[in-house]
Amino acid sequence: SAYIPAREALDLARKLNTPFTHANILIIGGNGPMELAAIELAVLEGANVFTTADECHHDVLTKLGAKCYPSDRKKWLPSLKGNMDVVLDSQCEDGYESSNLALNSTGTLVCTGMSAVYRKDASIGFGLMDFRDYKARYCKMRADYMLNNTVYYERAEQYDRASLQQFRYLCHLAEKNSITPLVSARASLNTVAQVQQAIENGDTTYGVSLCRPWSVYSNWVQININEEKPSD
């Protein structure tokens, strides 16, 4: 759920199937699970990795090998504008405009989501649909047809035989300790909704939250869980 989308998003920006050695890669919102995976994979290829995040995340992201900038686009865009070979943006703070401006003349922006759109409160428009959904459709259309050197990554459409081979390759890297997935929690099925709420509220620790459907207990400690795990 993190490494495969990260790998496929990077592949959408890859030129002639070559590695990203010495390429400048900007990852917006580097503290997210997929973004953490993308940082690790890009660093493994020898890229110069830049990321944006709140300052409280900078120590962790720096240890992964990324150069950190504040989340505010007004603070990172003046330094990075026109210099990036690749930008991954899962937030869509301004319709991907700033991320597109960060590209150099041959760079590629890969839009992987729009979490900033859905962080706003729900509001029904015209009695039919959440206004956030209208905004999301517009942002996707903008990425597909209006912004240069931009592609939109549709996760649901990407899973195929190639994804299976990517999964095998990533498992191989993990077995060789070339990558180290960060697991923030292992949640039981009956706590998935609580974990999802914690993710949306930004209350999760670094890494991926895994669901163990066969378990009735959880090690998720940031949220209130009624059951207590028995002692060994």
Side-chain angles (χ1 to χ4, degrees), residues 50 67 69 73-84:
F50 306 82
K67 182 175 181 179
Y69 286 84
R73 57 187 178 274
K74 294 179 182 179
K75 295 182 178 180
W76 61 259
L77 186 58
S79 299
L80 302 182
K81 184 177 180 179
N83 293 318
M84 296 297 108

Side-chain angles (χ1 to χ4, degrees), residues 16 23-24 38 57 59 64 69 73 77 80 83 86 94 113 135 178 184-185 187 195 229:
L16 302 176
N24 293 326
H57 304 300
D59 286 346
L64 288 177
Y69 286 84
R73 57 187 178 274
L77 186 58
L80 302 182
N83 293 318
V86 179
D94 58 354
K135 178 70 177 293
S178 297
S184 63
V195 173
K229 186 174 181 179

Side-chain angles (χ1 to χ4, degrees), residues 123-137:
S123 177
I124 303 300
F126 308 112
L128 298 173
M129 200 163 95
D130 190 332
F131 267 122
R132 297 175 300 178
D133 294 329
Y134 286 113
K135 178 70 177 293
R137 288 187 178 186

Side-chain angles (χ1 to χ4, degrees), residues 4 7-8 11 158-169:
I4 290 179
R7 172 78 183 189
E8 292 182 337
D11 283 347
Q158 296 292 331
Y159 294 127
D160 52 20
R161 185 171 296 180
S163 295
L164 177 59
Q165 188 60 25
Q166 295 278 25
F167 177 71
R168 291 169 177 155
Y169 172 66

